Amino acid sequence: MIHPVAVIGAGPFGLSTAAHLRARGIPVRVFGRPMVSWRDHMPEGMLLKSTPAASSIDAPRPGHTLRDYCDAAGTPRLVTDEDIIPVETFIAYGEWFQRQLVPELEQVRVVSVDRRGGEGFELKLDSGESFTARAVVVATGLDGLAHLPPELGEAAADGPAPAGPVSHSSQHHDLTRFSGKELIVVGAGQSALETAALAAEAGARVRVVSRGRGRVAFGAPPWGQPKFRPESPFGRAWSLWALSYYPHPYRYLPAETRHHLVRRVLGPLGAWWLRDRFEGKVEVSEVARIDRASVSGGRPVLSVRTLDGSAGELAADHVIAATGYRVDIAAMGFLGDALRTELAVSRGTPKLGAGYRSSVPGLYFTGLPAAASYGPVMRFVCGTEFASPRLAKHLAAAHG
Ligand SMILES: Cc1cc2nc3c(=O)[nH]c(=O)nc-3n(C[C@H](O)[C@H](O)[C@H](O)COP(=O)(O)OP(=O)(O)OC[C@H]3O[C@@H](n4cnc5c(N)ncnc54)[C@H](O)[C@@H]3O)c2cc1C
């Protein structure tokens, strides 16, 4: 029997897409661990940078926003821009959304996806089962895409690891392990700055190493936002408004511009509420670049070029690379070789057309892998509002 649709992923994008497909009456099998990126790959005690208005998972019918969850759970509503969302609340919201709208979720991994002649796709699960689906939606989010810059690679010869000299920020949930230790955090984005603040609060001596002058910066609080610019889920600015509400034409921009905007827009800037927890508690070293990371006496050492051009060294007990995620089809090991070869890509990311379809008929991508085609909003939960109804509509028309 051929199953109509398989959705791979049970984070915000996978759950939202599956809910929209179900609402259209399309039988769908959904795979993945609900909200696992948030539970296992972000630090305990983290607060969301996105505001409540930008943190609902899009559903096909009313009653499933973050505010609805707060009401159902009997907790105070998180609604204004000054309400900050604890990650634990957001995880509970996602799990509630899943129980309500995607109750048939199968918590297994998809091991491989291959083309099956002219008839859809063959999927293998780690339960040992194989089955065929007419269409596949890839919503695997951050999984496997953590990026370690090559200059840090020498000190992480066996791969980044919390117990080794260098790790990636996605490998940490409990930062209390650094209590009493010297820690370097590389990066200047929200993840770097919040990881540094949380580790300092847990008793570590923390230094953030950022490339360039003045890169460690914090956004304006809600009451300090410019008044005469349109509102968007990310603050008041024309550019943010256009990218949030009109991602349609994004994929027609030149490739260079698209890839640049995905990296830079809504990029390295700490949340307004983090400033007081960071300044005076975390050291900052601004460098022109990091040349290499080595290990001396069991401790990682960063060889850096300072802003005035001289050479310097920074050492600690451990280095966390809060250096983000890079989409690369080659890292999505579950996609079969033939499928990956057939996919049209631009710098490792799938080229998507209308309705989030890839160049392989029946294969769709949403969330982070769709950002190079539909813009930076796809990196955030609020991107589900644009993506999920459109993907479901296209898929229903083409394969439903
Ligand atoms: C530190 C940090 C803080 C962030 N803060 C915010 C924020 O405040 N607001 C915001 O909007 N965004 C934030 N983001 C971005 C956020 O992570 C993404 O918007 C969101 O998680 C993307 O959802 P997703 O469904 O695409 O993927 P994910 O949430 O990463 O979920 C991936 C899913 O895929 C499944 N999966 C992967 N591979 C397989 C496989 N082979 N078989 C079966 N299942 C598989 C996993 O089990 C999981 O269910 C943050 C990211 C980081 C790293």
Side-chain angles (χ1 to χ4, degrees):
M1 175 206 161
I2 297 187
H3 208 83
V5 186
V7 173
I8 311 176
F13 278 88
L15 294 174
S16 173
T17 308
H20 277 272
L21 289 167
R22 286 185 88 222
R24 286 179 171 272
I26 299 175
V28 50
R29 288 186 73 176
V30 192
F31 305 99
R33 291 170 59 208
M35 304 301 284
V36 69
S37 293
W38 300 81
R39 202 177 329 101
D40 292 355
H41 302 292
M42 299 187 196
E44 196 177 359
M46 186 187 100
L47 302 173
L48 266 65
K49 187 178 176 188
S50 56
T51 60
S55 302
S56 283
I57 304 172
D58 195 66
R61 56 176 193 271
H64 300 90
T65 62
L66 177 64
R67 178 171 139 159
D68 296 319
Y69 163 72
C70 292
D71 288 350
T75 58
R77 279 182 174 175
L78 297 165
V79 275
T80 75
D81 284 359
E82 284 156 57
D83 292 334
I84 301 162
I85 310 166
V87 72
E88 289 75 18
T89 303
F90 189 69
I91 294 167
Y93 163 52
E95 291 172 344
W96 174 82
F97 184 102
Q98 180 259 310
R99 288 193 299 276
Q100 302 275 318
L101 295 174
V102 195
E104 76 289 10
L105 173 69
E106 298 173 56
Q107 296 199 31
V108 293
R109 267 188 94 73
V110 174
V111 184
S112 64
V113 182
D114 291 287
R115 279 266 241 176
R116 190 178 184 273
E119 264 198 299
F121 303 88
E122 174 91 15
L123 285 88
K124 290 200 176 79
L125 309 179
D126 67 0
S127 59
E129 184 194 344
S130 297
F131 73 101
T132 306
R134 257 203 294 278
V136 171
V137 180
V138 177
T140 49
L142 310 177
D143 195 281
L145 302 181
H147 171 67
L148 188 76
E151 60 272 22
L152 299 182
E154 184 186 324
D158 299 327
V166 175
S167 59
H168 187 269
S169 52
S170 62
Q171 296 175 306
H172 296 280
H173 178 60
D174 178 8
L175 291 164
T176 58
R177 68 186 297 149
F178 297 113
S179 177
K181 299 261 168 57
E182 279 185 291
L183 180 67
I184 286 177
V185 178
V186 175
Q190 169 72 5
S191 170
L193 306 185
E194 196 170 10
T195 297
L198 285 164
E201 286 162 3
R205 292 189 300 288
V206 190
R207 175 184 301 278
V208 160
V209 177
S210 82
R211 274 191 305 144
R213 202 183 297 280
R215 290 286 290 281
V216 172
F218 298 87
W223 55 89
Q225 295 277 334
K227 288 214 168 30
F228 301 107
R229 297 197 193 144
E231 249 183 86
S232 84
F234 306 107
R236 286 174 179 269
W238 283 104
S239 56
L240 299 180
W241 175 81
L243 289 165
S244 303
Y245 297 116
Y246 295 93
H248 321 63
Y250 193 85
R251 61 200 160 92
Y252 299 111
L253 294 171
E256 190 67 36
T257 312
R258 285 187 290 108
H259 289 287
H260 175 78
L261 287 174
V262 167
R263 279 198 314 275
R264 302 308 306 170
V265 175
L266 305 167
L269 198 63
W272 62 273
W273 43 260
L274 192 57
R275 183 189 289 273
D276 288 346
R277 290 170 53 197
F278 184 91
E279 288 179 347
K281 283 126 193 151
V282 174
E283 296 273 322
V284 176
S285 294
E286 295 180 332
V287 301
R289 61 171 195 268
I290 298 172
D291 286 326
R292 63 185 275 252
S294 53
V295 181
S296 171
R299 281 162 56 91
V301 180
L302 301 184
S303 304
V304 300
R305 187 65 48 181
T306 62
L307 290 178
D308 64 14
S310 50
E313 285 194 339
L314 295 166
D317 293 314
H318 188 79
V319 171
I320 296 180
T323 41
Y325 297 80
R326 292 267 167 91
V327 178
D328 186 357
I329 285 294
M332 295 184 176
F334 60 90
L335 294 177
D337 289 343
L339 200 54
R340 270 186 275 168
T341 311
E342 197 184 336
L343 258 181
V345 294
S346 164
R347 297 187 194 175
T349 67
K351 280 192 189 171
L352 304 181
Y356 291 73
R357 67 181 159 78
S358 72
S359 60
V360 174
L363 184 63
Y364 294 74
F365 289 84
T366 188
L368 185 62
S373 299
Y374 282 95
V377 70
M378 292 303 135
R379 291 173 18 218
F380 300 92
V381 174
C382 64
T384 56
E385 187 180 337
F386 183 84
S388 305
R390 285 169 177 81
L391 193 161
K393 186 174 173 197
H394 189 282
L395 199 153
H399 308 278

